[in-house]
Amino acid sequence: MSNWKHKHIIDLSSFSAEDYKEVLQLANRFKKLPQAGARKLPALQGRLIATLFFEPSTRTRSSFELAAKKLSADVQSFSPSSSSLTKGETPLDTVMTYVSMGAEVLVIRHSSAGVPAQLAKYLDQKNKKVSILNGGDGLHSHPSQALLDLFTLTNYFGNGQSTPGSLYGKTITIVGDILHSRVARSNLWSLTGCGANVILCGPQSLLPEDFAKFADKPPSGQKEDPIKRRGQITICRSLMEALKNTDALIALRLQKERMSENLISNLDLYHHEYGITHQKLESCTKKIPILHPGPVNRGIELSSELLEDNAICLVNEQVSNGIPIRMALLYLLAATNIN
Ligand code: NCD
């Protein structure tokens, strides 16, 4: 029996322990889909899912589309540059076009924070039976990426069996451009929600002090935090110091396209202080898995050698895990039909 209560997935601040458990359980099942014979499930046969990416994407969009196809859904995708947006059509009118064609789930990415939530509110007011799944909005949130990170980490710590409990009490370091990262913001909700402690690591210009209080209370508009006791968030400016106490590390891309001013004076210096290399990992007393949501700036956040070392670097595994996680999310929204 599903306890799923969300019509839309906009942000992970409203996810309960049960929600994480349900998503991971389903992703575990979808990951074990047979690799030969019938490689698809008929679960969403004939249902329409639209991916509306108003901002560029490689992994997230292809992963959602593949996930939808593996559940036998029909998929419509949209490219801003070849659409009527170029003729002045608004995102809302674009969305209504796909709703009128019968789409039941809209995966939306937009460069402005809050757009998926506003669209969801509008569609609810109009009593439309359609779910919005946030594929990344501005600096706000990227729930499916944080959930696939959670799936990858819980699989790692649970030795192939992913449950939220395997993260309880672990320390996860997130290093890099936290200020501009919607992935980090979503990671903070999901990791602390599963009882992990998070060390945020980076220079002052990319990691303001108040991030330590990020998950202290739910965002405005949300009455309460469904998680009774979250893991803690601390800030550490030294990567070498953070590495001493960490069980896993998530590196983030320097998002130069979102920096309004030059926040990093020298990329070599950044790599020297915050880039991950085999040499720096030698100081750790245990083997630490390295994650990165991609795209990676090779030689800046991660050395090329490390990126290609699949024994430590789980970047490719994250991409593979994105498919069962997104299958789980699409399935929960389309098949449980909370309208
Ligand atoms: C991230 C994004 O778009 O927020 N990438 C992704 O979805 N895999 C992170 C990034 O762009 O650096």
Side-chain angles (χ1 to χ4, degrees), residues 131-239:
S131 293
I132 302 284
L133 213 168
N134 186 358
D137 62 328
L139 306 187
H140 171 231
S141 164
H142 193 345
S144 67
Q145 178 67 45
L147 290 168
L148 77 86
D149 294 344
L150 184 70
F151 189 47
T152 305
L153 286 167
T154 50
N155 256 310
Y156 181 88
F157 292 118
N159 295 319
Q161 193 52 35
S162 166
T163 58
S166 57
L167 220 58
Y168 192 85
K170 297 275 188 229
T171 299
I172 315 296
T173 295
I174 305 180
V175 60
D177 185 359
I178 287 147
L179 179 63
H180 298 99
S181 177
R182 54 192 174 207
V183 176
R185 287 174 175 82
S186 289
N187 282 148
L188 284 172
W189 291 118
S190 56
L191 297 173
T192 60
C194 293
N197 298 312
V198 179
I199 301 177
L200 294 175
C201 181
Q204 183 82 43
S205 59
L206 300 179
L207 171 56
E209 260 341 293
D210 53 7
F211 264 92
K213 298 197 197 93
F214 181 81
D216 282 3
K217 49 179 191 289
S220 61
Q222 184 180 321
K223 279 196 211 87
E224 53 188 40
D225 188 341
I227 304 283
K228 283 196 192 72
R229 246 184 100 177
R230 291 189 172 272
Q232 289 182 341
I233 302 173
T234 49
I235 291 186
C236 179
R237 301 283 171 204
S238 151
L239 177 63

Side-chain angles (χ1 to χ4, degrees), residues 59-60 109 142 145 182-183 253 255 293-295:
R59 291 161 191 74
T60 308
R109 169 171 284 195
H142 193 345
Q145 178 67 45
R182 54 192 174 207
V183 176
R253 185 173 68 90
Q255 304 214 7

